[in-house]
Amino acid sequence: MTKNGFVLFDDETAHDTGWVLAEGEPLQRISGTAELSSDTVWWTNLSYETANLSGLQGARFRRGTYFSHDIHRIWQELGVDEGPEQPIRVRCDSVFDGACESSLHLRLHLANWVFRKTMEVTSDFLPLTVPPLNDLAHGIRERIFPDWNRFFVDEPPPEFYRDALEAANKAYQPVPRMVMQESGESILPKTLRLPVDRAYHAWMLLHMPVPIGGWRNLQDGVRILNRKPDGFVRQWLLENPGALLRVTMKRCSEEMEPIVNYGANIDRNARSGHWLTSVELESLMDHCEFNLHEGVLAEKVLSPLDFLEKQGLRPEHLTEEILAARAPSYPFHLFMDNLWRAFCGPIPRAPKGQKNPFAAFLRSADRMVLMQRAAILHRKGIQVVGYGSGGVLIQPPKSDPRNWVADILSAGLLPPLFPAGTFALEEVEDMVDLYQPETGLFSNTSFLQTCLLMGDLNSLVYLGEELSLFLPEVQPIEETANG
């Protein structure tokens, strides 16, 4: 694997002066990119637009959203995204053997560490010599997707199915709603994005049935289905996971309407209706009533995991046992997050106008999981601002965190990193033990939750170093009495 480093430009638009840190080298100040080592791949804080316009989006440079999340979001999750009104939440000398003298140094060291370890995990699953271009999800997709001619079992989706896919994909545009800020001081940022257990979430999504063939236009069948009782419709949806239906909402429960409306983008007043996947409609029927207008169906479905298996491309280490063992590693979570996102982009070398049928179904499944998590927080009185794409965006209460952190854990979400001393170790151990949901995360993820609640960034980095590439020991098979 090539040498990696991180560049923090002073001004994204000028992208000349800044700070750099590479593996095995001291922190340095540069006055231009010509001073950067040519044998190193550099992750940067440049936006997508700036990276493209600057000409730095090439062999040596990677933009700030390389891991599908802006570098500032990663820093915020690790407690070091310093802003005008928000100090960092960890001591600078508490990690990396005291090498960081300031918050700027700490952000550089963390970014360099995240880049290095996440690429090591990626290479362990899909051997690489250099970090892929563009972004990690795109690079993974180029490795695991066959070309267009070998993608489908019989033929590509016809136009009627493609149109429904495109409409369903457009629904996946969750827009955070505006909220009034509470008065008073807080040890946390004004808004926080709480991620799911990204390893478990990806593992679940990789088992979702997605369409690969047997395309049908349901025509009159939907009108017949519309006259059936809800129980019949739900059973039909479960038995036909490759279906897309155009629906309009008749009513929604008062409790869930604020969650459904801005998270799933189901506007009750949309006269033309919305195209929803089967998994999305079945989940929303817990809270809403719909009229069904038309539908399309893929009779042949396959999970992304089985898809990889069938192509002979399933990574050797992609097993539940290994995923569970590596669950305390933050870089491993980033890799798994990018793995499921890789299935949502364009199919390599696809003809113009063709669509990836996986995207709408995986994104809607992600959205419905996050809707349930957001609903738990909403019922507990925590202000939900948005959800989807692997996380729930909240406005953290200004009250004592002891009053609401347990609700975050019970929703199966990772808590924010709190300043050390906010909780006693006994409190954290009790909360982590008592408020874990039955499903939604690997049990070992509790170690990562504990690090975040204790403000122990040093232990979080240690777990990433020790467990990112961990392989559970294979127990020898005992000989029987018969040999």
Side-chain angles (χ1 to χ4, degrees), residues 24 61 88 99-100 124 180 201 224 227 254 266 275 316 323 340 353-354 357 365 369-370 376-377 385 435 451 469 479:
F61 298 94
I88 65 172
C100 304
D124 185 54
M180 296 296 294
H201 190 63
I224 297 172
R227 295 195 291 267
E254 184 177 348
I266 307 300
W275 280 95
E316 178 184 0
L323 266 60
W340 80 261
Q354 291 290 353
V369 169
L370 271 300
I376 292 173
L377 301 185
V385 183
Y435 294 98
C451 290
L469 305 178
E479 293 186 359

Side-chain angles (χ1 to χ4, degrees), residues 153-205:
V153 295
D154 39 32
E155 60 180 3
E159 185 176 0
F160 66 81
Y161 200 92
R162 292 201 309 268
D163 290 345
L165 278 173
E166 185 174 9
N169 243 335
K170 287 180 178 178
Y172 190 69
Q173 304 289 337
V175 179
R177 63 172 178 166
M178 299 297 294
V179 295
M180 296 296 294
Q181 295 292 337
E182 297 179 17
S183 60
E185 296 183 357
S186 174
I187 57 176
L188 298 172
K190 292 180 179 179
T191 57
L192 273 176
R193 188 176 184 276
L194 306 174
V196 291
D197 177 340
R198 290 173 171 134
Y200 186 95
H201 190 63
W203 186 241
M204 181 273 296
L205 291 175

Side-chain angles (χ1 to χ4, degrees), residues 399-425:
S399 61
D400 189 331
R402 290 170 180 79
N403 298 332
W404 51 271
V405 163
D407 299 327
I408 291 174
L409 299 178
S410 66
L413 299 167
L414 297 186
L417 187 142
F418 284 90
T422 303
F423 303 103
L425 179 59

Side-chain angles (χ1 to χ4, degrees), residues 292-460:
L292 315 181
H293 302 291
E294 59 179 318
V296 297
L297 175 65
E299 295 179 322
K300 298 177 182 179
V301 295
L302 198 67
S303 74
L305 208 57
D306 289 337
F307 178 82
L308 291 178
E309 193 79 56
K310 190 173 182 179
Q311 300 289 336
L313 295 171
R314 176 170 174 167
E316 178 184 0
H317 293 161
L318 197 60
T319 68
E320 186 169 6
E321 182 184 24
I322 292 176
L323 266 60
R326 297 181 179 184
S329 163
Y330 183 85
F332 180 69
H333 278 233
L334 287 182
F335 164 73
M336 290 300 296
D337 188 63
N338 279 269
L339 180 59
W340 80 261
R341 292 172 190 274
F343 284 91
C344 297
I347 301 172
R349 295 163 290 282
K352 185 177 181 180
Q354 291 290 353
K355 305 295 178 184
N356 174 6
F358 289 15
F361 285 81
L362 292 177
R363 287 171 170 170
S364 65
D366 161 75
R367 186 162 62 246
M368 292 299 96
V369 169
L370 271 300
M371 183 187 74
Q372 301 301 332
R373 310 291 175 86
I376 292 173
L377 301 185
H378 177 68
R379 294 188 195 104
K380 297 291 185 178
I382 296 176
Q383 185 71 67
V384 175
V385 183
Y387 61 87
S389 196
V392 178
L393 189 66
I394 70 165
Q395 179 183 327
K398 296 293 179 67
S399 61
D400 189 331
R402 290 170 180 79
N403 298 332
W404 51 271
V405 163
D407 299 327
I408 291 174
L409 299 178
S410 66
L413 299 167
L414 297 186
L417 187 142
F418 284 90
T422 303
F423 303 103
L425 179 59
E426 295 78 10
E427 289 181 292
V428 170
E429 290 175 341
D430 288 345
M431 285 191 293
V432 170
D433 288 342
L434 291 174
Y435 294 98
Q436 296 298 336
E438 293 183 5
T439 61
L441 73 169
F442 289 118
S443 60
N444 283 349
T445 303
S446 62
F447 291 106
L448 182 54
Q449 290 177 322
T450 299
C451 290
L452 293 168
L453 290 170
M454 292 297 297
D456 190 354
L457 189 56
N458 188 55
S459 291
L460 185 148

Side-chain angles (χ1 to χ4, degrees), residues 71-118:
I71 178 61
H72 291 280
R73 175 180 290 175
I74 293 173
W75 279 332
Q76 186 189 76
E77 290 180 3
L78 299 177
V80 299
D81 188 19
E82 187 174 32
E85 301 177 4
Q86 184 61 50
I88 65 172
R89 286 165 267 150
V90 294
R91 276 179 42 209
C92 297
D93 61 356
S94 66
V95 66
F96 299 116
D97 298 322
C100 304
E101 299 177 359
S102 68
S103 58
L104 182 144
H105 291 179
L106 182 53
R107 290 199 295 279
L108 281 157
H109 276 271
L110 272 174
N112 190 50
W113 174 75
V114 166
F115 192 27
R116 173 175 61 85
K117 293 305 297 186
T118 307

